[in-house]
Amino acid sequence: LHSWPSAAFFSGTPGPERKITVQLRGAHSRENAYLKLACSPHANTLISNEVRALRSARKLDLSSALLPSVLGYTRFGPRRAYICSDETRPGFNPARTLRQSHFDFLDEMAAKTAAPLSCQYLHDLMQKHAAAAKSLPAAQTDLAARGLETLRRILARSPVPAALAHGDFTPWNCTATGSRLYVFDWELSARQPLGWDHLHFWRSSGTAPPCGDPVPLLRQMQARWHHGSAGSARFLLIAYHLDRIFRRNACPASPEMLQRLLAAPAQDAA
């Protein structure tokens, strides 16, 4: 820490994901960095996941994106902490809408990490459902159970393509630098159905089709990421909205969207 002569502290948002973030400023912009310190057991998990994700993603040697480097990873008592480089430079611009540079990044991630989803993915969702059931309304718990059964049927019928996803790909977690992106905050990174980051960027930027109607999204995800497979695209949307519900940060219409997805005719019988 003595390498940085000044720092700015951010206390974080209260809740189970709270982290203290410190912006470490060097004499030159190329020497800046960020330190994250967990304030809860769940935040410890997020920090550990981000370190693993960054190390894995940097090994991909992406030509479409610039990523932070992990400079250190340690503990302060029960709290985990890590330091990563801040690659932001003068001339980097906000990337609030999807551009070709976004799709270049998403396509390269998919090309270098694509593989069918395993049954472990569904098992992990079931564990999240069991944990969330303690605090979710009964109607949403039952709706989620129906969603999980639909995912099981789709996965039993045919493979669902997946890849490493950033997990929180939003306008505030990336900036544009020429034809490349600088992509940071990887704490929610995981293997997800293809199109996950595309869908999440749309949702978070408010540019997605109306949240209550799944048909436009299904068609676009089916054409863009799932080679015309309606089942795989439906799996993506159901899994995404289950995740929103389990994380308790769904858009207000997520239960309605999930309800419509489950009610729509589909070829997912086991």
Side-chain angles (χ1 to χ4, degrees), residues 40-192:
S40 70
H42 184 53
N44 277 339
T45 301
L46 293 175
I47 282 179
S48 297
N49 189 63
E50 182 162 16
V51 170
R52 285 193 299 268
L54 277 174
R55 287 173 173 168
S56 296
R58 287 188 63 85
K59 290 179 181 178
L60 298 175
D61 193 24
L62 298 172
S63 62
S64 58
L66 185 65
L67 311 179
S69 298
V70 176
L71 304 179
Y73 177 51
T74 188
R75 293 174 181 265
F76 292 97
R79 300 183 179 186
R80 296 182 182 178
Y82 93 104
I83 298 175
C84 69
S85 62
D86 176 10
E87 304 294 339
T88 305
R89 304 286 181 265
F92 281 28
N93 300 307
R96 297 189 178 93
T97 58
L98 284 168
R99 307 173 184 174
Q100 186 57 48
S101 55
H102 294 78
F103 288 112
D104 289 344
F105 165 68
L106 297 179
D107 286 338
E108 187 176 11
M109 286 279 288
K112 291 186 173 181
T113 66
L117 278 180
S118 69
C119 293
Q120 183 63 42
Y121 182 86
L122 193 57
H123 177 72
D124 292 344
L125 276 181
M126 292 172 66
Q127 288 187 318
K128 291 178 182 179
H129 176 232
K134 301 173 184 177
S135 55
L136 284 176
Q140 288 191 22
T141 301
D142 293 342
L143 181 64
R146 290 172 51 207
L148 287 168
E149 175 58 19
T150 302
L151 295 185
R152 185 197 66 78
R153 293 183 178 184
I154 295 173
L155 197 58
R157 190 184 74 246
S158 60
V160 174
L164 181 65
H166 175 276
D168 196 17
F169 192 55
T170 61
W172 47 89
N173 283 339
C174 61
T175 58
T177 166
S179 61
R180 304 175 74 197
L181 291 181
Y182 172 43
V183 186
F184 45 92
D185 282 352
W186 288 70
E187 62 187 34
L188 298 181
S189 181
R191 293 197 65 81
Q192 299 288 3

Side-chain angles (χ1 to χ4, degrees), residues 234-256:
R234 193 164 179 247
F235 189 104
L236 163 65
L237 264 68
I238 291 172
Y240 178 83
H241 286 285
L242 283 173
D243 181 77
R244 298 299 93 188
I245 291 172
F246 295 159
R247 287 175 51 78
R248 303 302 299 271
N249 63 353
C251 71
S254 275
E256 179 187 356

Side-chain angles (χ1 to χ4, degrees), residues 171-223:
W172 47 89
N173 283 339
C174 61
T175 58
T177 166
S179 61
R180 304 175 74 197
L181 291 181
Y182 172 43
V183 186
F184 45 92
D185 282 352
W186 288 70
E187 62 187 34
L188 298 181
S189 181
R191 293 197 65 81
Q192 299 288 3
L194 286 182
W196 186 279
D197 283 338
H198 183 181
L199 177 60
H200 187 61
F201 195 101
W202 262 353
R203 281 278 177 250
S204 60
S205 63
T207 57
C211 194
D213 182 7
V215 175
L217 278 173
L218 276 170
R219 289 174 176 169
Q220 293 189 53
M221 294 295 108
Q222 180 179 342

